[in-house]
Amino acid sequence: MDMGKGVGLVETKYITVASHPHELTLESGQHFGPVEVAYETYGELNQRGDNCIIVPHALTGEAHVAGRHTPEDRVAGWWDELIGPGRALDTNKYFVVAANVIGGCCGTTGPKSTNPETGKPYGADFPLITIRDMVQVQYLLLKNLGIRRIKAVIGGSMGGMQVLEWALMYPEMVEAIVPIAASGRLAAQCIAFNAVQREAITGDSDFKGGHYYPGPGPIRGMGLARQIATITYKSDESWASKFGRTFSSIRPQDYYSLDNRFEVEHYLDYQGEKLVQRFDANTYLYLTKAMDLHDLGRGRGEYREVFSRFRGKVLSIGVSSDFLYPKYYQEEIHHFFKQAGADSHYWELISPYGHDAFLIEFKKMSLKIAQFMQTLS
Amino acid sequence: MDMGKGVGLVETKYITVASHPHELTLESGQHFGPVEVAYETYGELNQRGDNCIIVPHALTGEAHVAGRHTPEDRVAGWWDELIGPGRALDTNKYFVVAANVIGGCCGTTGPKSTNPETGKPYGADFPLITIRDMVQVQYLLLKNLGIRRIKAVIGGSMGGMQVLEWALMYPEMVEAIVPIAASGRLAAQCIAFNAVQREAITGDSDFKGGHYYPGPGPIRGMGLARQIATITYKSDESWASKFGRTFSSIRPQDYYSLDNRFEVEHYLDYQGEKLVQRFDANTYLYLTKAMDLHDLGRGRGEYREVFSRFRGKVLSIGVSSDFLYPKYYQEEIHHFFKQAGADSHYWELISPYGHDAFLIEFKKMSLKIAQFMQTLS
């Protein structure tokens, strides 16, 4: 299969979507502002303003979804292989928009941004935000860009939660959605995994109640949080085939020592250290809490009934080996949309990679998503 | 089904199995001693000394498997419902022996025991121990008790690893084994989960390199380790049905706060706090490391070939919803024993409770294990 071309060089842009201190009304009722949004776009918006695809990101994602910022960049955006001329999200036809979420740490206003009232970073004074707040801010961005209709909203994990909220909050704007490896409301096991990750961060003495700027912050706790998360993103099978029981110490006498290390442990260390360099611990707390509060039913009535708000097209994708967001949650999403009258489809991505499959299985997803996009008007 | 009677009042006994400083040769080649073992027995040893059942314990278990120490005890031993007159492990017929493992913290010599050379607790100076060392120490205990033949060795998780080593280390003594929710060698995903739990402990500034006695020790880190472990012992389904998305804060305004708490979070806190009160952090490090090193193949040749050392009876039990030790590992154990000529059987415990099912599903296990025991000579 021809996987198309990449989008080439791109840049992150910035726009203020709420300029006054209390302009934005959050789901909590709290007023907040100003809000600046970091975003990227690929392709061209058409005259009617109706060829837009939104790609919300997952927990540690960002607006840089496709292409490279400089010719020297070693890696492209996190969903690069799905986006570009001739790719599943074809930039010859569509205008792809991706924004860093509110509460984030990659350009959009979040806990590490400066609080204009104090001149210091918000830290723990940042207001609680929800998945609906993330979507509302993206909606304001789209208004600013002159977008009137959305062809599709596509994303996995926390991105998938935003996809679902897009459908329920702005059903008249959205033609189709593709939620991947997400659920309609966060399950207790996911809340539990998020809770221990937050405990790892807040238990680090360098966390200082969230007011650790500009210091190094809770490096060790944040690294541990990422290590725990990393385990949940994969599967027993993928760990076994990638690392097995390979031992990393060179000296045989190290084997019978408490300090010995298997390769898999080094990999976890590496994942922890890598995230610490690019991610803010407070954002980690705020976004995992937003995920915990994710519940399509909240304030809308009976859970299974709220799906009837959206009558567009749905492609719900589950991953066969995902134990964090097991596939029956994506089957449930499909089932409830279908029951409510939407043109809904379910597809199981057969993969050994666990939850992370939506960031790995580009060939399989490209085929399926390209096929789905062709069924749209 | 009549579940039989309990064993009544019991007591933990103590015996010195190695009295000299270097009497015990560990698998690592290191010499160690003295070693005292805490153990309990239920039922009577027969004249021939061949009606013994060994019940090794899991990570946070202990020798107190059945009965109560005082009439006031609110809870009985951890496998009480399987052991007693008329129960699956029938104390009218069998002499049941359970010992705390070496490296433990519930009576048997471990890191919190006094090092006779320094007069202080060993702490991080305790030698690395392996599953084979645990079994060797139990073997010495049995010799002391005059036991010549073992009817069966039965246990789950880390107990199951000891069960398997019993079969391979002392095949001539053991008639039957029942390994539950264990594997023949620890998988990478399990090593990864153990590693983050150890990181939670060693990252706590109160850990002090393992020399924290008599101080409180790494309470927060140890609690976090237990919280992480607790998630892995259950299943998405059991978390969902027990807690769902029940919110625990009473005041509605607490909902939109970073400090809000779901019931499942309180439960995790509780599990962490409970273990901290009764368990030693160094023991947690040593035993998880022993599990990481669990590999029936080590030093014995080709992994699948080593199963041929045991030609007795095998009942390998897997739990349908266990994602920590998925059932295909128990199927593999059965398969390799069978292939090597043993009278091996596999039974799937259908349960929503995940890995913990072997500590919960007493009725189902009683039936199956009682049935299996009746097939023995």
Side-chain angles (χ1 to χ4, degrees), chain A residues 27 128 186 188-189 198-199 202-203 220 236 244-245 255-258 260 265 289 292 298 328-329, chain B residues 27 128 186 188-189 198-199 202-203 220 236 244-245 255-258 260 265 289 292 298 328-329:
Chain A
E27 190 192 347
L128 181 125
L186 207 73
Q189 181 182 265
R198 285 192 295 267
E199 168 68 15
T202 59
R220 189 159 182 175
D236 178 76
R245 294 184 47 77
Y255 188 88
Y256 292 106
S257 151
L258 213 54
N260 69 22
E265 294 175 89
K289 184 58 83 174
D292 288 4
R298 183 172 57 249
Y328 44 79
Y329 289 118
Chain B
E27 190 193 345
L128 180 125
L186 208 73
Q189 181 181 266
R198 284 191 296 266
E199 168 68 15
T202 59
R220 189 160 183 175
D236 178 77
R245 293 183 48 77
Y255 188 88
Y256 292 105
S257 150
L258 212 54
N260 69 22
E265 295 175 89
K289 184 58 83 174
D292 287 5
R298 183 171 56 249
Y328 43 79
Y329 289 118

Side-chain angles (χ1 to χ4, degrees), chain A residues 84-314:
Chain A
R87 292 192 173 169
L89 307 182
D90 190 343
T91 50
N92 286 332
K93 289 176 68 180
Y94 300 114
F95 180 58
V96 179
V97 180
N100 186 214
V101 297
I102 183 172
C105 55
C106 305
T108 294
T109 303
K112 75 169 187 180
S113 303
T114 301
N115 180 348
E117 288 180 16
T118 64
K120 292 176 183 167
Y122 287 99
D125 297 329
F126 198 79
L128 181 125
I129 47 116
T130 66
I131 302 290
R132 295 182 197 178
D133 294 325
M134 297 175 191
V135 171
Q136 185 197 179
V137 168
Q138 285 163 46
Y139 172 82
L140 295 175
L141 167 67
L142 264 54
K143 283 278 173 199
N144 270 284
L145 297 179
I147 293 161
R148 293 180 184 170
R149 288 271 301 163
I150 298 165
K151 191 55 73 176
V153 194
I154 305 184
S157 200
M158 191 183 86
M161 301 175 204
Q162 295 167 69
V163 167
L164 294 166
E165 280 294 350
W166 261 109
L168 268 58
M169 289 172 70
Y170 304 104
E172 72 290 346
M173 268 186 89
V174 178
E175 183 175 340
I177 59 169
V178 184
I180 308 170
S183 56
R185 49 186 173 185
L186 207 73
Q189 181 182 265
C190 286
I191 296 173
F193 272 123
N194 282 343
V196 294
Q197 290 166 42
R198 285 192 295 267
E199 168 68 15
I201 291 171
T202 59
D204 186 324
S205 56
D206 291 328
F207 175 63
K208 297 174 182 168
H211 295 287
Y212 51 75
Y213 306 103
I219 286 177
R220 189 159 182 175
M222 175 80 182
L224 176 55
R226 178 62 164 182
Q227 291 186 24
I228 299 166
T230 299
I231 307 177
T232 68
Y233 296 158
K234 306 193 183 290
S235 73
D236 178 76
E237 184 184 347
S238 64
W239 287 112
S241 67
K242 187 163 183 179
F243 298 103
R245 294 184 47 77
T246 307
F247 205 72
S248 71
S249 302
I250 292 165
R251 302 180 311 166
Q253 65 266 38
D254 289 343
Y255 188 88
Y256 292 106
S257 151
L258 213 54
D259 298 323
N260 69 22
R261 304 288 277 175
F262 287 87
E263 284 290 354
V264 63
E265 294 175 89
H266 284 294
Y267 177 78
L268 289 178
D269 287 345
Y270 170 72
Q271 290 300 327
E273 288 159 14
K274 216 170 60 167
L275 189 73
V276 162
Q277 288 165 19
R278 71 174 179 86
F279 212 78
D280 177 55
N282 276 322
T283 283
Y284 204 93
L285 300 180
Y286 278 88
L287 299 195
T288 56
K289 184 58 83 174
M291 290 161 71
D292 288 4
L293 293 178
H294 171 60
D295 184 348
L296 294 179
R298 183 172 57 249
R300 289 175 175 146
E302 189 65 32
Y303 175 68
R304 62 168 64 207
E305 303 298 332
V306 302
F307 291 83
S308 65
R309 294 182 173 218
F310 181 70
R311 300 292 168 95
K313 281 206 162 198
V314 178

Side-chain angles (χ1 to χ4, degrees), chain B residues 340-360:
Chain B
D343 181 11
S344 181
H345 305 265
Y346 171 73
W347 179 59
E348 183 171 325
L349 172 52
I350 308 285
S351 168
Y353 295 118
H355 187 61
D356 260 356
F358 81 97
L359 299 170
I360 297 172

